[in-house]
Amino acid sequence: MRLILLGAPGAGKGTQANSICEKFRIPQISTGEMLRAEIKSKSQLGLAAKKIMESGQLLEDDIIIQLVLKRLTSTDCIEGYLFDGFPRTIPQADALETQEIFLDIVLELTLDDEQIINRMSGRRIHQSSGRSYHLEFNPPKNDGVDDITGEPLIQREDDMPETVKHRLQVYQDETKPLVAYYQTQESKSPLKYIAVDGSQPVEKVFEDIEQNF
């Protein structure tokens, strides 16, 4: 099973990706993790990427594609894999096809912007442990403090409403067009496009995913 998981920030991709990988025993291919590993190993690819990043520039698609191609040669990818955060744009999707890396499933988690802003802006984090709470869905026992240590909870900058709105706009401009791209691909290849309502409880979302697979 080779699949990509699409959805706006806050749609629940991380949670569902973990469940899918555990259920179907496939690795989660994260370009961020691969990049950090290459930089740490001081490989030629890692050094090139580090130089670009330190100059404040964005990595070109060909470097990202090289990372992906290298990762897919690992033995744990033989039975399939789940792409995490890749491809993000149509040129990256085209590059995958050029390299004859074909997907079986494109899964989109759908959720409207208002629900996403509510989800993300309500999150509070215990900074030292990473424990996460939500003012509505998973509140701390005592307002504003961690259940275990009693230390103050914070709201990450990424979760502030204005930041969330900006991230949603970037997603709509750059990544959302992939949905139409892959729907078109579905008509001329074995690729299967699936949309699942991400506003449901986590367990129900995964149940719907399994039924569609």
Side-chain angles (χ1 to χ4, degrees):
M1 180 187 295
R2 299 162 298 180
L3 68 127
I4 175 178
L5 186 54
L6 296 177
K13 296 189 298 298
T15 300
Q16 298 304 328
N18 289 337
S19 298
I20 291 168
C21 290
E22 183 177 344
K23 172 74 175 181
F24 298 99
R25 298 183 180 181
I26 56 175
Q28 189 169 339
I29 307 298
S30 165
T31 52
E33 287 182 9
M34 288 188 291
L35 186 58
R36 286 188 288 273
E38 290 295 325
I39 291 173
K40 186 176 181 180
S41 70
K42 298 183 178 179
S43 69
Q44 186 175 353
L45 187 58
L47 291 172
K50 184 180 180 182
K51 185 177 180 180
I52 293 170
M53 292 168 66
E54 286 178 343
S55 70
Q57 300 178 59
L58 294 176
L59 291 177
E60 296 178 357
D61 286 347
D62 64 334
I63 290 182
I64 301 296
I65 293 294
Q66 287 181 58
L67 282 171
V68 170
L69 291 175
K70 183 177 180 180
R71 177 67 179 86
L72 295 184
T73 61
S74 302
T75 55
D76 65 340
C77 294
I78 292 174
E79 299 297 324
Y81 41 82
L82 182 150
F83 280 126
D84 174 14
F86 178 86
R88 289 185 184 275
T89 64
I90 289 176
Q92 289 181 353
D94 283 334
L96 276 184
E97 189 171 353
T98 299
Q99 294 293 333
E100 298 187 346
I101 300 171
F102 302 110
L103 300 169
D104 299 308
I105 295 172
V106 173
L107 170 63
E108 182 190 12
L109 297 181
T110 62
L111 196 63
D112 67 48
D113 287 1
E114 186 176 339
Q115 290 174 304
I116 288 172
I117 292 169
N118 183 41
R119 272 190 182 185
M120 297 181 73
S121 62
R123 285 198 298 210
R124 297 294 184 272
I125 305 294
H126 178 238
Q127 196 164 16
S128 60
S129 70
R131 277 186 291 276
S132 179
Y133 300 85
H134 193 280
L135 299 183
E136 181 179 351
F137 306 117
N138 179 36
K141 293 175 183 176
N142 296 300
D143 188 35
V145 297
D146 179 54
D147 288 352
I148 296 175
T149 66
E151 294 172 343
L153 301 176
I154 65 164
Q155 183 180 36
R156 299 184 309 174
E157 186 174 345
D158 274 359
D159 293 336
M160 292 181 179
E162 289 307 313
T163 306
V164 174
K165 288 176 184 177
H166 174 71
R167 293 175 65 194
L168 288 173
Q169 189 60 54
V170 171
Y171 175 77
Q172 291 293 336
D173 293 343
E174 296 183 1
T175 306
K176 183 67 173 178
L178 283 173
V179 171
Y181 175 93
Y182 282 120
Q183 285 174 329
T184 301
Q185 295 289 91
E186 185 181 27
S187 65
K188 57 182 181 181
S189 73
L191 175 74
K192 184 178 182 181
Y193 166 78
I194 299 166
V196 172
D197 180 4
S199 68
Q200 306 173 99
V202 170
E203 296 79 9
K204 182 63 170 67
V205 173
F206 187 63
E207 182 182 318
D208 285 358
I209 290 172
E210 284 189 290
Q211 289 176 352
N212 279 282
F213 281 7

